[in-house]
């Protein structure tokens, strides 16, 4: 019925490109106030210009992703995340 925002970390930052390149429904982009689901990598996007020590205090690490959940069907979004993560136990 409504969107939300959540953040999570993966075990290894080398998994970030795989996830960002493989999402299909969820778009890799910064939020522009739309209703679609977006995934961001704050380390280089929203907080790229923030000094490293401040990012660390805020918890913005190199293995941190933020997901803005839009109005798409939850089953479609979960399926998209599953296929983007693959069968990787490291995520």
């Amino acid at each position: 019925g409504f969107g939300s925002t959540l953040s999570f970390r993966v075990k290894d930052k080398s998994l970030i490109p795989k996830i960002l390149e493989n999402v299909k429904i969820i778009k890799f982009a910064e939020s522009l106030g739309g209703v679609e689901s977006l995934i961001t990598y704050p380390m280089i996007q929203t907080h790229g210009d923030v000094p490293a020590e401040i990012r660390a205090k805020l918890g913005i690490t190199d293995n941190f992703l933020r997901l803005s959940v839009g109005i798409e069907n939850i089953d479609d979004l979960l399926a998209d995340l599953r296929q983007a993560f693959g069968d990787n136990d490291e995520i």
Side-chain angles (χ1 to χ4, degrees), residues 26-43:
I26 302 165
K27 302 298 181 205
F28 173 41
E30 294 178 43
S31 177
L32 298 174
V35 297
E36 67 278 354
S37 293
L38 304 173
I39 192 166
T40 62
Y41 186 36
M43 184 79 167

Side-chain angles (χ1 to χ4, degrees), residues 47-86:
H47 291 72
D49 293 335
V50 175
E53 62 275 2
I54 295 174
R55 280 196 315 261
K57 287 180 185 178
L58 295 172
I60 308 296
T61 59
D62 61 1
N63 65 336
F64 178 83
L65 290 168
R66 183 169 291 136
L67 180 63
S68 176
V69 181
I71 61 170
E72 299 90 352
N73 180 285
I74 186 63
D75 294 327
D76 294 339
L77 294 174
L78 289 172
D80 193 27
L81 289 170
R82 284 187 191 104
Q83 67 80 29
F85 291 177

Side-chain angles (χ1 to χ4, degrees), residues 3-32:
S4 186
T5 301
L6 58 105
S7 302
F8 61 96
R9 289 183 176 78
V10 294
K11 291 182 182 179
D12 186 330
K13 71 178 183 176
S14 68
L15 298 169
I16 299 282
K18 176 185 187 264
I19 294 166
L20 298 178
E21 291 168 6
N22 287 310
V23 286
K24 305 294 184 226
I25 296 171
I26 302 165
K27 302 298 181 205
F28 173 41
E30 294 178 43
S31 177
L32 298 174

